[in-house]
Amino acid sequence: MKRVLSIQDISCFGKCSTTIALPVISAMGVETAILPTAVLSTHTMFKNFTVKDLSDQIAPITKHWKDEDIQFDSIYTGYLGSFEQIEMVEKIFADFAPDDKTLKFVDPVMADNGALYPAFDLDYAKRNAEFCGHADIIVPNITEACFMTDTPYKEDMSESEVKALLEKLGKLGPTIAVLTGVSLKDGMTGFMGLDTRTGEFLSHQNIRIDAAYHGTGDLFASACVGGIMNGLSWNDAMAIASDYTAETIAVTLKDPKKPWYGVNFETTLPSLIAKVQVAKNI
């Protein structure tokens, strides 16, 4: 069985980050360890949430793992709340992924809709760009990619502009650079990726659903990691993740008691597992 380490915050209530990564990747038949960077009472779409930074626990936990000779097939990072945490994760990469046997998958969560999250600034975006240089695969959205590459943000980009942005991301150092939230046709959305080894661009589109839910980026990234750990190519894993995320949003919208704080991914996990099994058997 493959083993993934997920490094991101955990909300006691709410569907995002670790509360998505752990069940989704585990359900895909992959052992999932977690390293919480912070614990929140709820995710940040709720008012008056509490938060406890866990930076002081990262080094002791990983030292114990090192002493126990615990190893990982993939290290997957999401929201990192500070420069200090980025530096800590770089050390984890050095200690637990010193060669190309361990996949380093980075979702540089820090911005959306043309703006950085309130806790971050341009210096943090530049630091994240450096951090992405240590990754094998990165999956920023268009806003994050623009901040990391000093590119003016546009809500709607042409295919040539998307490719140019991906080439800038590739120059940061990852093997695979993927942009999420890419619309190549009216009424469609999905991703486009660049394999820097071959210069090949690959894309996948789904029908755009007029709804926005917290945590869907985490759902996509987690399903990607799980797919790759099941032996799928990065582009096949991401196509399945894209289809699964779109399906989950559509299913949630049909729920008369749909939660405003996240999608009903629990009900669609069997569909994700079936998609992966079909892809593995082709």
Side-chain angles (χ1 to χ4, degrees), residues 1-15:
M1 186 185 296
K2 297 287 188 179
R3 179 185 295 142
V4 169
L5 169 60
S6 171
I7 307 176
Q8 47 195 315
D9 60 283
I10 183 167
S11 297
C12 297
F13 186 86
K15 304 184 184 188

Side-chain angles (χ1 to χ4, degrees), residues 28-42:
M28 297 174 79
V30 181
E31 182 180 351
T32 311
I34 63 169
L35 182 57
T37 56
V39 60
L40 295 83
S41 55
T42 65

